[in-house]
Amino acid sequence: VSIVKKGKKTVYTAEDPKRLLEQADENRRNLEYSMPELLSIANNIVKKPKVRFFEGEEGIKEVYRDILRYPDQKMYAWVSESMMTGFDSKFITEYYIPKRLEKKIWAEVIASDTPIGKAFKRADTPALRKTKLLGATEFPLSIEISLYGKDRIGFMSMEDKLGLIVESKP
């Protein structure tokens, strides 16, 4: 279809259907011309990160379960007070922590310097954990972030009820 403005009116006219083939050929030539550059860009991306998204408390638990799949390694975490107080404490105390200890997954943790954070820190030694407390106002933590398995980052949000795992070698 060709479109021509004539005053206040727009006139539409049917084109010869062979024009579609001409346009397709032109598009193909442009793509062939650009292909080496496009391939060069694609080859520079070594491996795209793999991202998995989980909803609800079960989704958050899936991130914790993924951490447990990497025994005898250290994990690094920023722990939010909302995860310490608002998440399924039975899952954490009766499943996650015992399994983490069994699998010898050491944790280096940053938490807020609050009464809850201080209580968390006092339990460091039996929990194979070393906690650093930071000022709650200077470094407010609303989500939990865990670095583990040499190529994974887990995000857990109690407020949004979601878990996210990003897997990327770089």
Side-chain angles (χ1 to χ4, degrees):
V1 174
S2 63
I3 303 169
V4 178
K5 285 269 191 194
K6 288 189 177 181
K8 293 182 182 180
K9 293 183 180 183
T10 303
V11 179
Y12 297 90
T13 308
E15 291 279 334
D16 184 343
K18 292 178 185 172
R19 178 73 180 117
L20 291 172
L21 290 173
E22 292 169 5
Q23 286 179 329
D25 287 342
E26 185 177 335
N27 288 341
R28 182 177 178 85
R29 281 191 302 276
N30 289 336
L31 184 58
E32 285 173 350
Y33 177 79
S34 301
M35 190 58 66
E37 187 175 354
L38 293 171
L39 289 171
S40 172
I41 293 168
N43 288 335
N44 282 334
I45 302 171
V46 179
K47 186 176 179 186
K48 295 174 182 82
K50 180 179 177 183
V51 178
R52 292 184 288 157
F53 176 80
F54 307 95
E55 291 185 283
E57 286 200 17
E58 273 306 309
I60 294 170
K61 289 177 183 178
E62 186 54 39
V63 178
Y64 282 117
R65 288 184 196 107
D66 196 56
I67 292 168
L68 297 173
R69 293 182 183 110
Y70 297 89
D72 300 312
Q73 294 185 28
K74 188 180 282 190
M75 78 166 214
Y76 303 90
W78 290 265
V79 180
S80 74
E81 202 163 293
S82 64
M83 288 300 293
M84 284 189 244
T85 59
F87 190 63
D88 185 345
S89 61
K90 185 176 179 181
F91 173 82
I92 296 296
T93 59
E94 295 179 18
Y95 177 77
Y96 175 71
I97 291 175
K99 287 286 187 189
R100 189 173 64 75
L101 296 175
E102 175 187 311
K103 293 173 181 269
K104 296 181 176 81
I105 301 171
W106 285 81
E108 288 195 18
V109 175
I110 296 172
S112 293
D113 191 357
T114 63
I116 292 168
K118 288 176 183 171
F120 185 79
K121 182 177 174 69
R122 282 192 293 274
D124 274 2
T125 304
L128 296 179
R129 182 177 65 222
K130 181 180 177 183
T131 302
K132 170 93 172 152
L133 298 176
L134 298 178
T137 53
E138 297 95 309
F139 301 99
L141 303 169
S142 61
I143 64 169
E144 183 168 323
I145 304 169
S146 297
L147 299 130
Y148 63 98
K150 297 183 182 169
D151 64 355
R152 292 172 183 258
I153 303 171
F155 298 90
M156 293 151 277
S157 171
M158 199 50 217
E159 289 86 8
D160 298 320
K161 299 248 189 289
L162 66 88
L164 182 74
I165 298 172
V166 179
E167 182 182 348
S168 175
K169 294 256 184 238

